Amino acid sequence: MGKSQGYQSQGYPIHPFTLSSKEISDHLKTNDQTGLNKSQVEEAQKSYGPNKLEGEGGVQWYKVLLKQVSNAMILVLVLAMALSYGVTDYVEGGVITAVIVLNVAIGFYQEFQAEKKMDSLRALSSPSAAVIRDGHVVTIPSGEVVPGDLIQIKTGDTVPADLRLIDGMNFECDEKILTGEAMPVAKDFKIDFSNTTEFETGVGDRLNMAYSSSTVTMGRAKGIVVFTGMYTEIGKIAESMQGKSRKANRSLSRKKGLGSLQPAKGVLLRIWDGIGQFLGLTVGTPLQKKLSKLAYVLFGCAILLAIIVFGVNQFNVTNEVAIYAISTGIAIIPESLIAVLTITMVVGMTQMRKRRVVIRQLSALEALGGVTNICSDKTGTLTQGQMITRKAWLPGVGMYAVDDADDAADPTKGNVSLGPSPEIVRIESEKKGIQFDLGREDTPNSSTVKLAHADDIPAKNKAGQVPEVTPELREFLQSTALCNLASVRYDQQKNEWQAIGDPTEIALQVFAHRFSFGKKSLEEEHAWTELAEYPFDSSIKRMSVIYQQDGSGQAQIFTKGAVERVIDLCTNLGTGANQRSITSAVKEEVLAQMNLLAEQGLRVMAIAQRAFDASINPHSPPPRESIEEELTLLGLVGLYDPPRLETRGAVRECTTAGIKVHMLTGDHPSTAAAIAREVGILPANTARLAENTASSLVKTASEFDALTDAEIDSMPTLPLVIARCAPSTKTRMIAALHRRRAFCAMTGDGVNDAPSLQSADVGIAMGLTGSDVAKGASDIVLTDDNFASIVAAIEEGRRMFDNIQKFILHLLTSNIAEVVLLIVGLGFQDEAGFSVFPLSPLQILWINMLTSSFPAFGLGREKAGSDIMHRPPHDTKRGVFSWQIIVDMTVYGLIMGACTLLTFVIIVYGPGGGELGVDCNRGFLSRCDVVFRARAAVFAELTWLILVSAWEFKSLRRSMFALDPETKREGRFPFFTDIYNNRFLFYAVVIGAASVFPAVYIPGLNTKVFKHMGIGWEWALSVGAIVIFVAGVEAWKACKRRFGWFAGEEEVEEEKLGLRQGFVSFSKSFSRSKSMGSESAGEKV
């Protein structure tokens, strides 16, 4: 429930997890046996309100519409429209009106569909709850739960509110959506936190609490509701998404900033923020801000040009003068820019959908191209969010390793290799002076075996060599499969593997299935019968079962659990010839193996067994203490949450593209660091880094949060891995990146990722496993949950950015040419003293809206260049208006304007004898023949020059005649292939060029609308100007290439891309280091 609607605060002297169950009951006036009574429930409902998450309300359409109307370019066009109607130029005003309506409609629809973030949070509330009231268990909607209610939850339930547990048995919760942890959390209602505080113990470590919207994966429990609605942990996340923090120095308090002057300063800055937001100057992506600034700069230029027109006419503002002023103002404003930008991004969004990336906001495409840092959650994003058996150590046999397994439920995926024990490899390698990998396939004396398949695998999957199962491995697999509650089966109808059970047990069961030792096979085909079961107990962290085979008198006890808890129960290590008594030295050897596996980020478990001669009564099994003793330790197994196979390559491409990837996860530091090395986020060799840099690479959330902002900013590099990460830590990391002027993206899938997704410059959510909250808070959604799709998104973002630069250059170049022509044209005055249009207003509108627009659309569809992912991200502050773009548009605009001006002068002052006629701006009179012919030639010439420039601008530096020099084309002139490669642009240019002829020759349309007429020999001037313009553009490009002008804006600077975040994977981290670049100590990221 919202915290500001008159309901009582759900507060406690100290956090409920530090209180005893009696203290909780006393505080809430409830009974831990019978719960609340009816009157107490009614009172609590009035005091605390419903157990619901509240958003900021529905999307208000008028706010979205206002946002679109307040767009800077729209405002400029509105003013131009008003001027057009004011001087009764309804055609020009109508065209501008159509452009405004089209852009506002497209933007409104897109934004209105995207403003739905808080609704997904409401859907997370559990639908019902089993509540004890007045001593009876009743099922009620979760929205009716109140603080003090006594709740019963069991396996499969969704927790309806935050609970302080008071009873339970083998109770585990999946809190992944809240903490990001892949493994279910074993709860302990008896644990005492009275000597700690909520700041010292994170949410995921409060084992006597169960949190709203988490799911129960094992056991049962009973708890007292301590928080509901917005006071729950999920509610806090929802609140953090609603809250808007003010910028610095905006406070109205005299206690901050300038003291007594602070309120005045705060008011002025807030007013400035409001104006900036309305005008689009302080909100939006870098491109939106740049275009807003451009619009107002051009608007200022338009006003300046109008003043110049008025001044030349001695401020005698007649309709003729006003129309000329409007023409010059419209000439400098690219009316189709917004339409081209929006439609280009819509087309880009459609292309991204084909690449399994959904763009929720069009502007995110441009923003993604400037990303410098990606903050990624691990579980379900970089990894699969599933456990898999990675290593199995059998004493005296060696180390079994599973590689390339990308499906935790499929035993047919991956390869199994057998090599010497890690300690043996290390000792032998040190003797030889070489370090080998622990478990690499190419480890000396190792042998690789082909996977065996479970008996229920389809015949088409049975191909391949079946590995030899040694007696030691057989004992190990039997214990692994039978001391297990999970089931793994192949669904013939769906043609897929399915697994049911705890992720850890699924991983162990799948490993046994790889060798045809699945539990079902052992029970049905090898006649193993279960006699007793001692379920996993979180207090002792182990599980045991008793099985008997073929009805023989001797039973077998199989045990699995935490190494520290199992090894103390064992008297022997290994079986057969490899069996040894466990001494202190042997125990140290086992623990050393455990540490070696744990250092690789694996969760290590022990597998043990022993024979049991006594008779077993299934209905009255012996005490657990008499069973779990004198065991034989068969080996250790290492489990891990595997990275996606595509992740390493995706991280590598990000690194090559100058983008750093940071892992922000709730996992243990060693696990997080190991996965980070495996996927390439952490450098494989940190020994070559400066000590302060190496120590900064991996931090825990407590270490990072303990630092002040100043201390964080002084770090040589921000952490590449933050473990045990809380939502507030993620947002603080993003804030630290922003202070370093980084443009960051955040990927995530859980509720805990939502605040950071929202605070990041670009939020990227997972579509399959991601929560609705994460999707609602994001800008981009990956529909296949594939981290590699981020590379496609970045590439598309950069392609879009490049293409936006190209069509902006194309549009503004023509505007500059028109301004040059019209301003100089002020000197062409007729006998009445009025300036004669070198181009009529409708000719300008035709060129700006039709001739320029479609080639600009075509430039927006250009394919990505071959080097697009081999250069640093573009500067988001500089944006699309780099110095190269600014200089290019000036040079090309002057060349184009000079050519058209020269054509007008030659026709009028050459064969025309300087005849400018009288009142030729209004219509065709007898003395306007020369002016109308000159306008027609200039119109045709300017149209063709603009169209040809679109081909020239396919590359900012390469010649139009060699756009793709890397492609070999034997015996062919590459120009035609290159220009035809983009067919939309090709036909836009061809059709646009052909459209000149009907515009010039159709009677009525030419003289009455465009104010020009048919021409003859003048065509030669228009065609000749194309040659001159192309020569000028090619000469300028040649100079840029020859002298290296603006080369730094496009070429890769190797030193900036020198960071290699572990191109060598973790499996190579024990091999000799390669000649890879490392991060310099002084580089700040």
Side-chain angles (χ1 to χ4, degrees), residues 49-62:
N51 177 33
K52 294 181 179 180
L53 299 177
E54 295 292 338
E56 293 180 303
V59 179
Q60 297 172 317
W61 64 269
Y62 57 87

Side-chain angles (χ1 to χ4, degrees), residues 46 79 283 316 426 558 586 590 631 710 778 869 942:
K46 294 178 181 178
L79 293 177
V283 295
N316 181 20
R426 174 175 288 184
F558 303 114
V586 173
V590 174
L631 300 173
S778 68
M869 293 301 287
L942 185 58

Side-chain angles (χ1 to χ4, degrees), residues 267-289:
V267 169
L268 292 175
L269 290 177
R270 290 187 185 188
I271 293 174
W272 169 251
D273 291 340
I275 296 174
Q277 183 176 358
F278 179 79
L279 297 179
L281 299 175
T282 59
V283 295
T285 65
L287 179 60
Q288 290 173 323
K289 295 177 183 178

Side-chain angles (χ1 to χ4, degrees), residues 994-1014:
S995 68
V996 167
F997 297 100
V1000 170
Y1001 286 112
I1002 293 178
L1005 178 66
N1006 53 6
T1007 56
K1008 294 182 180 180
V1009 177
F1010 291 114
K1011 297 181 175 60
H1012 63 214
M1013 61 184 298

Side-chain angles (χ1 to χ4, degrees), residues 390-438:
R390 175 72 180 272
K391 299 287 180 68
W393 173 70
L394 274 62
V397 177
M399 181 72 73
Y400 287 89
V402 180
D403 300 302
D404 300 329
D406 59 352
D407 188 343
D410 190 347
T412 68
K413 295 291 184 67
N415 299 303
V416 177
S417 61
L418 171 62
S421 300
E423 195 66 25
I424 296 175
V425 173
R426 174 175 288 184
I427 294 172
E428 291 180 354
S429 64
E430 288 176 352
K431 290 179 179 179
K432 297 178 181 179
I434 302 175
Q435 290 185 336
F436 294 102
D437 165 41
L438 306 182

